[in-house]
Amino acid sequence: MVNPNIQGKKYPATTPYLVGREKIREFARAVQSTNPVNLDVFAAQTAGYADLVAPPTFAVLIQEKGLSAPLSDPEADIDFSRVVHGDQRFIQSRPIVAGDELHGVLEVTSVKSLGAHSMVTFTTEISDSKDELVCTAISTLVVRGDA
Amino acid sequence: MTMHSVPKLIELEIGQSIGSAEYLLTRDSLVRYAGASGDFNPIHYRDDVAQSVGLPGVLAHGMLTMGAAVQLVVDWVGDSGRVVDYGVRFTKPVLVDGRDGSVVVVAGKIAQIDAENNRVRVDLAATFADAAVLGKAQAWVRL
């Protein structure tokens, strides 16, 4: 059972993640994107961006960095082997582009019990090197309890 | 290169289809996504591990299904940077056959029009073997 007292707990910012062109291309190919702004610098710049644009779900990389803290926090008591991804949302303040240096601050925004299961919602505010918000990633994990 | 023209809000109506597409997810796709995302949970590439935790077999990463499904919207608007808000619920896993892979069918329609902010909400239906794999899959697109 996930400790309900972790609701409201905020973890320290993740170390900066430098978004690289080749990582954007690799991620884009993995999600079957053929969108030129993800793959071709000239196309991205023609569309008005500074550099390659990351696909809409790219911020998961920074969210995952943030999630490692609560998942290894003894106070939270989350058994990762019982975790199922319930839902996911990315709210972009602006698109992520190559060259961004991003860090995430993760907060446990909700812990709910559903029978033997727990549902934990994490909200990660992802900001750039000027500390301006780029993306808010909201993830709900379902932690299965004993049947 | 010819530039894709962005759909015009005034020409759209609620319920209108943005089309549909099929995404083939093979074991190769899963390995590729594992590498790209850093999610190396072995239930996404090893049958024995998947079965040992009570699953019928190797499953696609939910985040891969989510990431592929939105490509329908990206292709419709022509620019992934215009997807400003995208959320899904994972309702059913996609079981990926070792030889043939699995096809996820995605269809989208206009569900809401926000003329003031020049944005529309596209709702996606994603199915595998005729069952919905994503619920409440909604993407807000800036036009």
Side-chain angles (χ1 to χ4, degrees), chain A residues 8-147:
Chain A
K9 188 167 182 177
K10 230 174 192 176
Y11 291 86
T14 58
T15 54
Y17 178 98
L18 178 60
V19 179
R21 275 183 187 168
E22 300 311 331
K23 193 67 193 182
I24 288 181
R25 288 192 175 109
E26 180 191 7
F27 191 91
R29 289 191 184 104
V31 294
Q32 305 190 16
S33 169
T34 55
N35 192 217
V37 304
N38 300 150
L39 302 165
D40 177 340
V41 178
F42 179 72
Q45 290 175 344
T46 305
Y49 300 103
D51 210 308
L52 288 187
V53 180
T57 59
F58 187 87
V60 71
L61 285 156
I62 293 91
Q63 174 181 276
E64 289 305 305
K65 279 171 69 80
L67 273 171
S68 66
L71 293 178
S72 59
D73 178 1
E75 191 198 355
D77 196 21
I78 300 170
D79 180 354
F80 189 60
S81 68
R82 291 171 175 271
V83 164
V84 180
H85 204 171
D87 57 59
Q88 179 67 48
R89 183 175 174 196
F90 300 100
I91 304 163
Q92 302 288 151
S93 304
R94 66 160 174 87
I96 294 171
V97 294
D100 277 339
E101 201 167 87
L102 303 174
H103 60 275
V105 175
L106 178 142
E107 182 180 351
V108 181
T109 40
S110 153
V111 181
K112 286 183 195 148
S113 299
L114 209 81
H117 308 310
S118 305
M119 284 173 71
V120 191
T121 302
F122 301 96
T123 301
T124 309
E125 293 203 327
I126 299 169
S127 305
D128 61 19
S129 55
K130 292 178 194 147
D131 252 338
E132 281 171 12
L133 183 67
V134 175
C135 176
T136 304
I138 306 166
S139 189
T140 301
L141 304 183
V142 181
V143 188
R144 290 175 294 136
D146 295 312

Side-chain angles (χ1 to χ4, degrees), chain B:
Chain B
M1 184 185 310
T2 50
M3 289 304 289
H4 183 291
S5 67
V6 176
K8 290 187 176 60
L9 182 129
I10 197 152
E11 292 169 2
L12 301 174
E13 53 185 83
I14 289 173
Q16 188 176 332
S17 167
I18 66 155
S20 65
E22 293 188 349
Y23 300 93
L24 173 64
L25 304 182
T26 61
R27 292 288 172 91
D28 304 46
S29 320
L30 272 48
V31 170
R32 188 181 279 265
Y33 187 77
S37 67
D39 182 346
F40 292 103
N41 187 333
I43 65 162
H44 303 304
Y45 52 89
R46 276 182 57 179
D47 289 283
D48 59 329
V49 173
Q51 281 157 8
S52 75
V53 296
L55 299 168
V58 162
L59 307 179
H61 307 75
M63 287 304 304
L64 169 56
T65 307
M66 180 183 188
V70 79
Q71 296 309 318
L72 177 72
V73 181
V74 170
D75 290 343
W76 172 71
V77 73
D79 173 356
S80 76
R82 290 179 180 270
V83 178
V84 293
D85 184 341
Y86 176 43
V88 306
R89 181 162 294 169
F90 301 103
T91 52
K92 200 171 185 291
V94 177
L95 188 64
V96 178
D97 181 77
R99 196 189 59 186
D100 300 330
S102 297
V103 174
V104 174
V105 182
V106 181
K109 59 173 198 266
I110 306 294
Q112 202 177 330
I113 297 174
D114 174 3
E116 199 174 320
N117 297 301
N118 198 30
R119 319 191 308 168
V120 295
R121 195 185 92 209
V122 176
D123 285 5
L124 296 171
T127 55
F128 158 63
D130 294 325
V133 292
L134 299 177
K136 286 191 77 173
Q138 304 181 340
W140 278 99
V141 183
R142 184 176 52 80
L143 299 177

